[in-house]
Amino acid sequence: MVSDATLVYLALAVPLAGMFALIAASRWPALRDSLVVVTAVAMFGVVVQLLPRVLRGERPSASLIELFPGLEIAFLVEPLGMMFALLASGLWIITALYAIGYMRGARELHHTRFHVFFCIALFSATGIAFSSNMFSLFVFYEALTLSTYPLVAHKGNEAAKKGARTYLGLLLGTSVGLLLPAVIATWWLAGTLEFTPGGIMAGNVNPAIGGLLLVLFMYGIGKAALMPFHRWLPSAMVAPTPVSALLHAVAVVKAGVFTVLKVSVYLFGLDYLRELATTDIILYVAVFTLIAASLIAMQQDNLKARLAYSTVSQLSYIVTAAMLVSEFAALGGGMHIVMHAFGKITLFFCAGAIYVATKKTEISDMHGLGRRMPVTFAAFFIGALCVIGVPPTGGVWSKWHLFMGAYDSGHQLVVLALIVSTLLNIAYLLPPVVNAFLLPPKEGDQGGGIREAPLLCVVPLSLTALGCIALFVLAGPLAGLLRPYLAVSGGW
Amino acid sequence: MTEHLPALQVVIALTAAPLVMLLNRLPRLAWGVTLAACWATLAIALLLLLQVSDGGEIRYEMGGWAPPWGIEYRVDGANAWVLLIIGLVSAVVMPFARRSVEQEIPADRLGLFYSAFLLANAGLLGIAITNDAFNIFVFFEISALASYALIAMGRDRRAVLSSYQYLIMGTIGTTFLLIGIGFLYIMTGTLNLSDLATRLEGVTDTRTIRAAFGFIAVGISLKLALFPLHLWLPNAYSYAPSMVTVFLSATATKVAIYVLLRFVYTVFGFEFSFVELSMAWVLMPLALLGIVIPSLVAVFQDDVKRLLAYSSVAQVGYMILGISLASALGLMASTVHLFNHAITKAALFMAVGCLVYRLGGVSLSRVAGAAERMPWTMAAFVVAGLSLIGVPLTAGFVTKWHLLQAALMDGFWPVAALLLATSLIAAIYIWKVVEAAYFRAPPDDAREVREAPLSLLVPTWTLTAMTIIFGVWAQLPISAARNAAEALLGAPQPW
């Protein structure tokens, strides 16, 4: 029996070890690429080992270093973090396969550097998932920003540099300018930064200051992309598609909303959040973001840009979930992390596959492509359904909980907004598929010789599409894993 | 032997100086002797720090003359800490110096250069270790005169002018200090700091003592480059030879801050300085202005060395801010920053020294594209830059954290907010350099350059690694800084 601490350290060490192995093997592309997959599989294998322990109610923990008394880099695996780590490491395996196919198919350069920073990003995401206190989380949060920066700037042309600069500027700016002060103030007022069920604020921080802190936290967590600090996400779309898929649909953005949930549930505590004057303000900012981003998404002709704005909108679902301060909604928010991850990564995989096969990036150029690339567009359809929240995909369950939560807490306006936004989702996600299958190709676009993308692209996107469907059935166990994070005693 | 360690701390460098001058014809040997002296100095500083780490103090009577007639050296937690900083920086900078100095200084003056360096070093050590007010003045002059010579040896002809500027300002500073010390002597008849402290008690309520305090405070503020008395610093640091900039930026202002602390806490006492004369209300606005304005000025500099020089003025502001909070925690934040800033800024200036060695200059246009050719140098710059900004897990963060706590403890919320805002400004000016080096194409007339030689890189990375090591395992500097603060306050604190 491996000890808890060893497993936690292993989960963090594997991607780093993989990184060094990659560097050593950089001269032999075949070996290097297979090492990427081996690293991803090994990491998932380690993370999975933790799952039964967490399900048994254990909380594997490890304390790495103590900077000074009370301020330490330490880990504790609780259900929400377990879920996030499983999600990131599991999807990494598929993305690794996809990335190999994509990077070769799209003739991108600097493969080793690309995979190396991918490893660091996954290491940082795992650190975020397992952090037992806000200080550790902050450190890994910044590491994730820094390690994904070279990935966004990967192409090295002017557009990539410009996008990357916005990316870094907004994420670092919000985190250092808003999040760090919030963390320090919390430490000062509450005397601890430990994630504690029920929160640490109640009784320590008066609600007026708590309200201010909430605003600092929610805007400081720039990765959750609340408007007006969402610009970094569309900017990040200059990155190669595997980066957009795993990092800007899963690891980075989900790290943001994951932090939002952690902060809401474990630092503020739902009961305390109810007392704050600003909770509703953030709630409506999130609702505004989810509608506004959907509207912007509708106007984007570039497929990846549309998906990016869709992500901005979907992230706000989760922030909304946290700010509704209902157990139902918070559970829905946790589930939505997974559901949206599967749906959106499928959509990005498809966008990448279309690019590799046809070099097309604009939706209006994709008319009629469905007949040439049936698998890709079928997967796109399933992914879209999952994001919209239609059976038989997993997306339906998280939305269900969200609706229930909004209804429960008496926010009728939010219920209405969720309905409108769902309609908008349909309006911007389904047309690309419909057009691709039903419309004839544009005149002059013979589409001669267009076939499905390489197998290494098509298989991963089929897998994640199947995952969307599987989650329809697996939502029960997922909710079972998550329930203890709300510290709700039985009953439901 | 061990009982003579306090004397040896100064004497080794002091006696090595003329010896090295005689070796002017044999530059390698001169360098070797200097190196040995610096390493011995570091070893002694470490031994002294260990001896006083339990809160005790070491007294040493020069030539066996009992104080207050003879000169007394006294080592406690505060000055042992400063001695260690000087010893450490000089010991690390010497291996760096060999090739850097050979390139920047004419071969026939190398011995003279090292001799002046040793004198500056001995002067700073002497200021820190002595318990005699007049002796402090003398050592101030020794180190200052040697520094003027060192700065004037810079390759740029403006070095001479900036050295002259420094000479004028420095002389005014030490003269003020001397006048203040004279007043104290008139009123008490003693020059021994501890003796002064006890004898002042009866006479503090006189105009003479208040005037003495003013003269001493202003004089030292000139030496430590407190805004707006900092005007000598940017030029001096920009035009001095690389090695001199590294050494002075890490030690000279720190020692002056120590002297200020010694006078404020040990001689005049907390009561007199902070309660009766409300010193905090003078220091805090100056500290805040000194943080904000030079930081903003740094953003608009084109020369990296000059940019870092302005950043040094801002960093002095942080140290003064900690003092102005007039709390044990604030004092401790300042004392820990003495060390953290010393290693951070020395590492940065060393990385700049590497750039100068290969590129010949460090204007942003010349640094452009350097990262590809000199990856290790620029990586060191980035890491040390992070520490300057105060990113978690670096030494700079340890300081910032404690400074923030100290500000919040007294309810200075706006000050805390300002601290965070200014670290963003630091991020901007560091980013400017990073962007030039990593993202801009090298100028068309760029020389073919290679990575800096190992003898430059190893010392640079030694200090760079320390900014990380002491950011992660912060207990060591923290406990030393607490010791220092306790020694100054004269009582154990409930941290």
Side-chain angles (χ1 to χ4, degrees):
Chain A
M1 192 74 180
V2 194
S3 83
D4 286 347
T6 317
L7 271 183
V8 173
Y9 288 141
L10 261 182
L12 289 159
V14 167
L16 287 187
M19 176 190 82
F20 287 116
L22 288 183
I23 296 173
S26 64
R27 296 225 195 123
W28 303 281
L31 175 64
R32 177 198 60 207
D33 289 353
S34 45
L35 274 175
V36 176
V37 181
V38 169
T39 308
V41 171
M43 181 177 170
F44 183 68
V46 174
V47 174
V48 162
Q49 300 277 312
L50 285 163
L51 181 62
R53 306 183 189 208
V54 175
L55 283 175
R56 276 202 303 270
E58 292 168 25
R59 298 287 178 264
S61 63
S63 176
L64 186 59
I65 31 174
E66 190 172 31
L67 269 81
F68 22 94
L71 203 61
E72 53 178 356
I73 302 285
F75 307 101
L76 183 140
V77 187
E78 46 74 61
L80 196 62
M82 185 70 242
M83 179 202 78
F84 181 45
L86 269 178
L87 180 71
S89 60
L91 288 178
W92 187 27
I93 302 179
I94 303 176
T95 311
L97 290 171
Y98 179 83
I100 295 165
Y102 180 91
M103 295 298 278
R104 291 181 177 184
R107 296 181 208 287
E108 298 271 0
L109 302 169
H110 305 299
H111 291 211
T112 305
R113 185 181 80 190
F114 177 84
H115 290 302
V116 161
F117 282 108
F118 230 104
C119 289
I120 305 178
L122 262 293
F123 159 78
S124 313
T126 317
I128 292 176
F130 290 165
S131 283
S132 78
N133 60 60
M134 193 58 214
F135 175 73
S136 311
L137 197 155
F138 181 80
V139 171
F140 285 107
Y141 181 98
E142 296 295 37
L144 185 57
T145 306
L146 295 176
S147 61
T148 47
Y149 170 76
L151 293 172
V152 175
H154 186 81
K155 282 194 176 156
N157 54 23
E158 275 311 308
K161 281 183 200 168
K162 192 159 165 284
R165 197 187 294 182
T166 312
Y167 180 80
L168 194 68
L170 265 178
L171 287 183
L172 273 189
T174 49
S175 65
V176 176
L178 303 171
L179 183 55
L180 185 59
V183 171
I184 292 171
T186 306
W187 156 269
W188 179 248
L189 294 166
T192 175
L193 288 172
E194 219 48 46
F195 290 125
T196 314
I200 56 173
M201 300 272 197
N204 290 322
V205 186
N206 96 37
I209 295 182
L212 181 69
L213 282 181
L214 183 71
V215 175
L216 285 180
F217 267 116
M218 292 306 142
Y219 274 115
I221 303 168
K223 290 189 174 119
L226 272 186
M227 281 184 179
F229 294 133
H230 65 287
R231 284 279 323 144
W232 63 269
L233 187 51
S235 300
M237 290 302 131
V238 293
T241 308
V243 175
S244 309
L246 183 62
L247 298 176
H248 299 120
V250 184
V252 173
V253 290
K254 294 299 148 53
V257 287
F258 169 79
T259 311
V260 167
L261 287 176
K262 284 278 259 201
V263 166
S264 311
V265 174
Y266 291 124
L267 289 189
F268 283 87
L270 293 183
D271 290 328
Y272 183 74
L273 270 183
R274 281 194 198 97
E275 295 174 28
L276 300 183
T278 49
T279 309
D280 279 352
I281 297 178
I282 298 290
L283 174 66
Y284 283 102
V285 169
V287 168
F288 172 80
T289 305
L290 72 86
I291 301 272
S294 298
L295 288 173
I296 300 175
M298 287 181 69
Q299 294 157 17
Q300 304 295 321
D301 191 37
N302 182 299
L303 182 55
K304 278 178 78 178
R306 182 175 291 197
L307 294 180
Y309 275 104
S310 158
T311 305
V312 173
S313 163
Q314 297 288 324
L315 292 175
S316 275
Y317 275 82
I318 300 165
V319 180
T320 306
M323 291 302 113
L324 281 169
V325 279
S326 103
E327 273 86 9
F328 247 123
L331 179 62
M335 290 170 74
H336 201 57
I337 289 185
V338 177
M339 305 306 180
H340 175 250
F342 270 87
K344 197 47 76 58
I345 200 172
T346 309
L347 294 179
F348 272 114
F349 280 168
C350 293
I354 296 167
Y355 174 72
V356 169
T358 69
K359 293 281 170 194
K360 288 182 201 289
T361 55
E362 307 303 305
I363 295 166
S364 52
D365 293 340
M366 294 177 189
H367 295 176
L369 269 185
R371 279 165 252 187
R372 310 235 173 226
M373 307 176 67
V375 182
T376 304
F377 276 93
F380 193 100
F381 183 60
I382 297 172
L385 291 185
C386 190
V387 173
I388 299 167
V390 184
T393 61
V396 66
W397 296 119
S398 54
K399 276 225 171 147
W400 170 268
H401 279 89
L402 264 173
F403 272 107
M404 295 292 287
Y407 187 77
D408 250 10
S409 54
H411 286 97
Q412 310 301 345
L413 209 58
V414 177
V415 178
L416 185 69
L418 289 175
I419 294 172
V420 171
S421 143
T422 306
L423 292 175
L424 289 173
N425 287 343
I426 297 173
Y428 66 77
L429 281 179
L430 290 188
V433 191
V434 175
N435 294 346
F437 276 115
L438 301 183
L439 288 185
K442 276 190 178 168
E443 281 180 42
D445 186 356
Q446 295 307 311
I450 291 182
R451 281 175 292 124
E452 285 282 5
L455 215 54
L456 272 177
C457 287
V458 176
V459 171
L461 63 88
S462 313
L463 286 177
T464 52
L466 289 177
C468 293
I469 297 175
L471 279 173
F472 183 67
V473 192
L474 293 176
L478 176 63
L481 165 68
L482 282 185
R483 248 166 227 153
Y485 106 91
L486 292 165
V488 184
S489 49
W492 50 288
Chain B
M1 180 69 185
T2 37
E3 75 264 22
H4 291 300
L5 282 179
L8 286 172
Q9 178 80 88
V10 182
V11 166
I12 290 179
L14 206 55
T15 48
L19 181 63
V20 165
M21 194 175 64
L22 293 177
L23 295 172
N24 198 22
R25 296 275 181 82
L26 305 162
R28 280 292 161 87
L29 193 58
W31 172 79
V33 173
T34 314
L35 178 77
C38 288
W39 283 8
T41 305
L42 173 63
I44 293 171
L46 269 173
L47 288 173
L48 288 177
L49 185 69
L50 281 178
Q51 284 184 36
V52 299
S53 62
D54 56 353
E57 58 178 13
I58 307 166
R59 295 171 189 206
Y60 181 83
E61 293 162 12
M62 263 296 163
W65 293 88
W69 297 280
I71 292 172
E72 183 195 33
Y73 282 8
R74 192 181 285 207
V75 184
D76 61 12
N79 54 2
W81 186 224
V82 177
L83 292 171
L84 178 79
I85 295 172
I86 305 170
L88 178 70
V89 174
S90 65
V92 180
V93 82
M94 272 315 292
F96 177 91
R98 190 173 59 89
R99 295 190 68 163
S100 171
V101 170
E102 269 173 20
Q103 195 198 40
E104 294 182 31
I105 307 293
D108 59 341
R109 289 192 210 150
L110 285 176
L112 300 177
F113 177 88
Y114 286 122
S115 176
F117 169 72
L118 280 170
L119 278 179
N121 199 355
L124 293 174
L125 292 164
I127 298 170
I129 204 168
T130 187
N131 196 34
D132 186 279
F134 187 75
N135 209 217
I136 287 183
F137 164 75
V138 171
F139 278 124
F140 250 127
E141 284 297 1
I142 291 178
S143 77
L145 291 172
S147 309
Y148 305 146
L150 287 173
I151 292 170
M153 283 198 243
R155 269 191 302 189
D156 195 307
R157 288 183 62 187
R158 280 170 289 187
V160 179
L161 186 63
S162 50
S163 169
Y164 187 64
Q165 217 178 2
Y166 184 21
L167 185 148
I168 303 278
M169 301 281 264
T171 307
I172 296 175
T174 39
T175 308
F176 270 43
L177 179 66
L178 185 62
I179 294 173
I181 292 171
F183 283 176
L184 291 182
Y185 187 64
I186 292 169
M187 294 303 289
T188 60
T190 181
L191 286 169
N192 184 289
L193 295 182
S194 325
D195 202 25
L196 266 173
T198 40
R199 293 200 190 194
L200 271 177
E201 273 166 19
V203 291
T204 45
D205 200 23
T206 60
R207 197 170 293 166
T208 317
I209 295 301
R210 293 205 196 103
F213 183 85
F215 273 112
I216 290 173
V218 173
I220 301 172
S221 296
L222 259 166
K223 298 296 288 185
L224 63 80
L226 175 65
F227 182 89
L229 304 176
H230 66 282
L231 296 172
W232 57 269
L233 187 145
N235 279 336
Y237 284 13
S238 308
Y239 301 122
S242 301
M243 176 267 198
V244 175
T245 309
V246 173
F247 179 70
L248 289 184
S249 72
T251 55
T253 48
K254 315 286 177 300
V255 170
I257 288 175
Y258 158 76
V259 175
L260 181 70
L261 287 172
R262 189 55 98 192
F263 271 102
V264 164
Y265 279 96
T266 308
V267 176
F268 290 103
F270 182 85
E271 217 20 60
F272 180 76
S273 314
F274 285 101
V275 181
E276 216 167 302
L277 293 185
S278 322
M279 188 188 183
W281 294 106
V282 181
L283 284 187
M284 192 182 284
L286 291 181
L288 293 177
L289 286 174
I291 293 172
V292 175
I293 296 175
S295 296
L296 289 174
V297 174
V299 173
F300 296 100
Q301 298 306 314
D302 182 59
D303 184 275
V304 180
K305 233 171 147 180
R306 205 172 176 77
L307 181 154
L308 290 177
Y310 275 105
S311 143
S312 277
V313 180
Q315 297 289 324
V316 166
Y318 285 115
M319 296 171 219
I320 298 297
L321 179 67
I323 300 170
S324 74
L325 290 168
S327 62
L329 193 58
L331 180 60
M332 177 258 163
S334 288
T335 43
V336 82
H337 200 42
L338 292 181
F339 177 79
N340 287 341
H341 180 246
I343 55 174
T344 303
K345 200 41 86 54
L348 281 169
F349 272 124
M350 278 193 187
V352 169
C354 295
L355 290 172
V356 171
Y357 186 80
R358 284 297 188 211
L359 302 172
V362 282
S363 63
L364 283 178
S365 56
R366 238 194 275 198
V367 173
E372 203 160 322
R373 308 286 167 72
M374 306 176 67
W376 288 98
T377 303
M378 278 315 296
F381 187 91
V382 170
V383 173
L386 290 176
S387 175
L388 189 72
I389 298 167
V391 175
L393 303 189
T394 62
F397 175 74
V398 177
T399 307
K400 205 145 284 182
W401 181 263
H402 286 92
L403 206 51
L404 277 170
Q405 301 290 323
L408 291 174
M409 197 172 71
D410 291 337
F412 288 111
W413 285 86
V415 172
L418 197 78
L419 279 176
L420 290 163
T422 49
S423 46
L424 280 181
I425 305 181
I428 294 173
Y429 58 69
I430 291 296
W431 176 250
K432 267 184 60 168
V433 183
V434 171
E435 188 182 23
Y438 281 87
F439 297 104
R440 269 199 244 155
D444 295 331
D445 57 341
R447 302 189 224 170
E448 263 313 299
V449 291
R450 286 175 296 129
E451 180 56 273
L454 271 184
S455 70
L456 267 62
L457 273 184
V458 171
T460 308
W461 269 96
T462 307
L463 286 180
T464 307
M466 279 189 197
T467 64
I468 298 291
I469 291 170
F470 291 118
V472 175
W473 289 276
Q475 307 284 16
L476 230 56
I478 286 177
S479 63
R482 284 179 176 171
N483 251 338
E486 283 177 355
L488 288 166
L489 291 165
Q493 300 294 320
W495 294 107

